[in-house]
Structure formats: C-alpha cells, structure tokens
Amino acid sequence: MTARIGVVTFPGSLDDRDTQRAIRLAGAEPVALWHKDKDLKQVDAVVLCGGFSYGDYLRAGAIARFSPVMEPLLEQAKAGLPVLGICNGFQILTEAHLLPGTMLRNDHLHFICRDQKLRVENAETSWTTDYTAGQEIQIPLKNNDGQYVADAYTLDQLEAEGRVAFRYLVRGEAADGYGNPNGSQRDIAGVTNEAGNVVGLMPHPEHAVEPLIGTGRTDGLPFFTSILKKLVNA
C-alpha cells in the first residue's frame, strides 16, 4: 500500500504544490489538506509547508495555529504521527508548542533568500534517517522571521538530548551559503521533539529534490525518502 502524506494549505501558503511534488518524487502519495478540514483523511504523515499563513498577521504562525486542522494534528502528533514543519510550518509548530522555542524577525531585519549550507546533527528522526550525522547539505532558504530563540535552559536541554536536528554552517563566506543567515541562537536551523516524529526547520528541502531546479542538487529529497521508509517499515 502506498504511503499517504498530507500537505496542509493555509491562506497564504506558497509551497504546498512543491511539497506535494517532492512527496510524489519520493514514491509516496501526496494528500491535499485544507486548513478548515477537521480530520486528516487517514494520512500516514503530515507536512506543514512554507509560506506566510494569514499574512503573518500578529506573528508568524500565530493564527494558523488555531485553524481547525490543527486540532486533530496536535492530538495525533502527540500520539506519534510524523509531522514535518518547513519554514512557516516550523513557526506554526512552535506556536502550537509541538516544538520548543519561537521564531523572531531576522536579526538584520531583512528578508533573505539564498542557497544555505547546513550540517545534519540528528539522523535518527522520522524525517532524517536517509542522512548521516555530520553530513553537510545545501538547500534553499527564504524567510523574514527565521531567527530561532529559546531560553538558555531549553537550548541546553535540546543540546543534551540531541534534539538539534540541523545547524547552519558558519565557516567561510556568507555569500557562499555559509554563515548564520538570521541570528538563530547556537546556529540552530531545525529541531525535533523528544520522540523524533515531529521535526521543524527553516530551509526548504522541497526546493532541492531535482537536479534541474532549485540548487541543482537533490539534498532535500532524503527528508521525503526517510519518512517513506519509516512508514513502509513500520
């Protein structure tokens, strides 16, 4: 049976079709979910895609967190449903308290769009098993509110428990994709929950799944092949 992965569209979502295509390329079936849906259509996993839900009014992800679809998603994520939040999806997951910390305006107060180099810190989550710990990858980044912050206790806890999933590579010149692009504390680009089924990151793996578009690399495809293998072997 083909794995079914839901992709939620909120008003202001931009990358839902790209995410669906990435899922299809990985070999799973994408299932469109609307923000007003009150059930998840029996999908095996869910992706909250990038964009500017509700125009980032009040705060990025703050309104989307209360959309009807989030009620079953919260319940099922806590029960083990794999959930990936990309960019705005990451912001929504922090607003919903499925992931710790929060996202603030970039420290330089400008929108940034570039190919970003990352280091994989945790290759044991539901979404990262096709990577290896320490692997360096490059995928596109585009955000205005991408600065990850948390109190010192939370940051220390994330480090101690291995829950920093990705980190921005800081060596070399920023123009080459190196450097912290938004002021995120401890260069954190993505985190996971304790169980490893919920992952959020700011860069966009769905834009790096084919050699002819995006970065010209396929460094983002393992997100989607990882979850497919997880579901098939479950």
Side-chain angles (χ1 to χ4, degrees), residues 19 22-23 26 47 84 86 205-206 209 220-228:
T19 304
I23 290 168
V47 181
L84 175 65
I86 302 170
E206 77 280 10
V209 294
L221 190 59
F223 276 89
F224 306 100
T225 57
S226 293
I227 188 59
L228 180 59

Side-chain angles (χ1 to χ4, degrees), residues 30-111:
V31 178
L33 299 174
W34 182 234
H35 71 113
K36 289 187 177 182
D37 288 341
K38 295 183 179 180
D39 70 81
L40 301 180
K41 301 181 181 178
Q42 298 182 318
V43 296
D44 302 300
V46 171
V47 181
L48 301 180
C49 64
F52 302 90
S53 58
Y54 296 93
D56 284 348
Y57 185 66
L58 298 181
R59 188 174 59 249
I63 297 178
R65 177 260 180 273
F66 294 101
S67 291
V69 73
M70 291 301 294
E71 184 174 349
L73 187 144
L74 283 166
E75 179 181 350
Q76 293 184 43
K78 291 175 181 178
L81 179 75
V83 178
L84 175 65
I86 302 170
C87 195
N88 188 228
F90 186 13
Q91 295 161 342
I92 295 169
L93 290 177
T94 61
E95 289 289 335
H97 305 298
L98 281 175
L99 291 175
T102 193
M103 315 301 298
L104 299 181
R105 186 67 54 87
N106 295 343
D107 61 346
H108 44 74
L109 302 181
H110 295 285
F111 181 86

Side-chain angles (χ1 to χ4, degrees), residues 75-149:
E75 179 181 350
Q76 293 184 43
K78 291 175 181 178
L81 179 75
V83 178
L84 175 65
I86 302 170
C87 195
N88 188 228
F90 186 13
Q91 295 161 342
I92 295 169
L93 290 177
T94 61
E95 289 289 335
H97 305 298
L98 281 175
L99 291 175
T102 193
M103 315 301 298
L104 299 181
R105 186 67 54 87
N106 295 343
D107 61 346
H108 44 74
L109 302 181
H110 295 285
F111 181 86
I112 187 169
C113 182
R114 75 184 196 193
D115 292 343
Q116 178 67 47
K117 295 183 179 180
L118 308 173
R119 183 173 61 248
V120 180
E121 300 285 10
N122 186 332
E124 298 180 0
T125 78
S126 297
W127 299 90
T128 59
T129 55
D130 269 358
Y131 293 110
T132 58
Q135 182 178 349
E136 297 181 3
I137 64 174
Q138 181 170 302
I139 57 178
L141 172 81
K142 49 178 183 175
N143 64 66
N144 193 53
D145 299 88
Q147 182 182 179
Y148 182 79
V149 300

